[in-house]
């Protein structure tokens, strides 16, 4: 199994664990053994074909074939930004709000995509700036923007997650800041990350209900590791 498919399976396990949690109204009795999430079996050729068809339909419906290609090789519909290598998960209901082509730079030099899995919202952006900023500058700018939408922001004091191996010192450095805040009256966990790879600056935003902070951490890190693999080509 490829590293990408291993990560996708791990993400699926988080998804199914979160789905079970969301659908269970009451906690199990104290004496009951906790359920152990199991990653789904490898997808069948039919499931892969269905996922590829969904990704192809998204590309056609949004008229972005000049910028994105079908990168689906498992049961998760995936499109890849040709210029930067950034991959995005899509679904049958993916629309122009989920895959953004921003104005201001040459077409395709500033794009983004978002998904929502069990109340965990992830947004990923790829930008080729005329004068490339640092990852630290991007995160600092993101924090200032967050303060306009979030209330009572303060540093997150819970445990963080890193899926980067310590012995891969040649990997691009990912800068991350984590917070708790209030959004639309709800307590949330939110984080912002950035990494520079070649001419491209990649930025990520992840937000979830505060009680799902750890699941959001895992989902965020999985997306970043997959980004480094697909864009930088390093084996983690």
């Amino acid at each position: 199994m490829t590293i990408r498919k291993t990560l996708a399976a791990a993400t699926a396990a988080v998804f199914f664990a979160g789905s079970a949690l969301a659908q269970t109204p009451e906690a199990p009795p104290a004496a009951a053994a906790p359920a152990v999430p199991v990653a789904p079996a490898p997808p069948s050729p039919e499931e892969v074909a269905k996922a590829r068809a969904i990704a192809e339909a998204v590309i056609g419906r949004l008229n972005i074939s000049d910028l994105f290609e079908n990168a689906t090789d498992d049961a998760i519909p995936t499109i890849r930004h040709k210029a930067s290598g950034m991959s995005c998960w899509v679904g049958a209901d993916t629309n122009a709000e989920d895959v953004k082509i921003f104005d201001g730079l040459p077409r395709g030099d500033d794009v983004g995509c978002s998904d929502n899995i069990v109340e965990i919202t992830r947004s990923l952006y790829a930008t080729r700036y005329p004068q490339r900023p640092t990852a630290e500058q991007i995160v600092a700018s993101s924090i200032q923007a967050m303060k306009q939408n979030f209330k009572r922001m303060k540093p997150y004091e819970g445990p963080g997650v890193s899926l980067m191996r310590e012995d891969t010192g040649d990997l691009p450095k990912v800068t991350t800041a984590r917070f708790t805040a209030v959004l639309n009256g709800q307590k949330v966990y939110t984080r912002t990350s950035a990494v520079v790879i070649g001419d491209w600056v990649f930025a990520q935003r992840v937000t979830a209900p505060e009680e799902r902070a750890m699941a959001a951490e895992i989902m965020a890190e999985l997306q970043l590791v997959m980004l480094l693999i697909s864009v930088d080509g390093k084996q983690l």
Side-chain angles (χ1 to χ4, degrees):
M1 179 178 289
T2 65
I3 293 176
R4 183 186 182 281
K5 290 184 178 180
T6 300
L7 291 169
T11 304
V14 173
F15 171 79
F16 285 108
S19 296
L21 178 63
Q23 296 170 6
T24 304
E26 297 180 0
V36 178
V38 178
S44 66
E46 293 76 16
E47 289 172 324
V48 175
K50 180 179 179 180
R52 286 193 61 83
I54 290 173
E56 201 66 38
V58 169
I59 292 173
R61 187 172 68 252
L62 300 184
N63 194 27
I64 54 174
S65 61
D66 58 326
L67 303 180
F68 286 85
E69 62 187 353
N70 194 339
T72 307
D73 61 4
D74 51 37
I76 302 175
T78 304
I79 62 175
R80 181 187 296 115
H81 182 229
K82 296 177 183 178
S84 71
M86 178 183 73
S87 294
C88 305
W89 289 358
V90 295
D93 59 347
T94 295
N95 55 43
E97 290 300 310
D98 302 314
V99 179
K100 293 184 178 294
I101 313 301
F102 297 102
D103 297 325
L105 292 174
R107 178 174 166 82
D109 278 8
D110 191 7
V111 302
C113 55
S114 299
D115 57 45
N116 187 293
I117 302 175
V118 198
E119 297 185 279
I120 300 170
T121 300
R122 306 184 305 176
S123 297
L124 194 60
Y125 306 93
T127 308
R128 181 158 50 188
Y129 293 95
Q131 294 183 330
R132 188 179 63 189
T134 65
E136 291 80 3
Q137 289 172 327
I138 292 296
V139 168
S141 177
S142 177
I143 292 172
Q144 292 303 312
M146 291 163 68
K147 289 180 178 178
Q148 299 178 20
N149 298 313
F150 293 90
K151 297 180 179 179
R152 300 203 293 274
M153 276 180 59
K154 61 180 181 179
Y156 173 66
E157 297 180 352
V161 173
S162 176
L163 299 182
M164 310 294 177
R165 280 197 343 225
E166 294 183 358
D167 60 344
T168 50
D170 60 336
L171 281 173
K173 179 184 176 182
V174 177
T175 299
T176 298
R178 301 170 172 87
F179 302 91
T180 56
V182 174
L183 179 65
N184 299 326
Q186 180 186 28
K187 292 182 178 180
V188 298
Y189 160 86
T190 188
R191 56 178 269 170
T192 177
S193 301
V195 60
V196 178
I197 305 177
D199 293 334
W200 291 89
V201 176
F202 299 92
Q204 181 200 59
R205 287 283 307 280
V206 177
T207 300
E210 189 173 13
E211 63 270 18
R212 294 195 177 173
M214 185 53 61
E217 274 282 287
I218 295 171
M219 294 294 289
E221 288 291 315
L222 284 168
Q223 188 179 50
L224 288 174
V225 170
M226 292 174 70
L227 173 72
L228 292 181
I229 292 173
S230 63
V231 175
D232 199 50
K234 298 293 192 302
Q235 297 298 302
L236 306 188

